[in-house]
Amino acid sequence: MTRTEEFSSKVRRIQNEIDVIRGNGTSHGIQMTVSPTGRILGLEIPPHAYDLSPRALSDHIASAHASAYSDANERARNVRAELAEDPRVRRILTET
């Protein structure tokens, strides 16, 4: 395998790892799961949350989303760190 093929394989493997990352967040019992791009993949709203005002419910949903998105981004950042440490990427980053 050439170095270019090896690097391409590494990039594909890292992207595949990022693609399966899920972030989780909770607010007032509302649980949300998102992708690293913030796409909502799961939302669980407990019965007691329906007693909240519409504004409070939406605020808690938004808070759960923000927490889940932050979690997913942190996980993705940890996976991307391997790529950022590659000497070929470092060279490119220092040239720009």
Side-chain angles (χ1 to χ4, degrees):
M1 181 181 297
T2 68
R3 289 191 307 186
T4 301
E5 291 170 331
E6 175 190 315
F7 184 70
S8 290
S9 176
K10 183 178 193 175
V11 170
R12 277 191 306 276
R13 180 182 53 77
I14 288 171
Q15 185 58 54
N16 288 338
E17 288 179 31
I18 291 171
D19 288 345
V20 298
I21 288 173
R22 300 297 177 252
N24 299 296
T26 302
S27 179
H28 199 74
I30 296 166
Q31 298 177 4
M32 186 170 297
T33 302
V34 302
S35 71
T37 62
R39 186 170 58 105
I40 297 171
L41 303 171
L43 174 62
E44 293 181 29
I45 301 174
H48 77 293
Y50 292 107
D51 294 333
L52 299 169
S53 71
R55 176 66 182 187
L57 179 59
S58 67
D59 286 347
H60 287 298
I61 290 171
S63 180
H65 182 268
S67 177
Y69 185 52
S70 176
D71 181 42
N73 273 326
E74 181 63 27
R75 292 171 190 237
R77 198 172 13 257
N78 290 336
V79 172
R80 285 191 299 266
E82 179 185 346
L83 190 59
E85 293 169 1
D86 187 289
R88 294 164 285 206
V89 172
R90 284 184 176 211
R91 188 172 44 254
I92 292 167
L93 294 175
T94 58
E95 291 175 358
T96 58

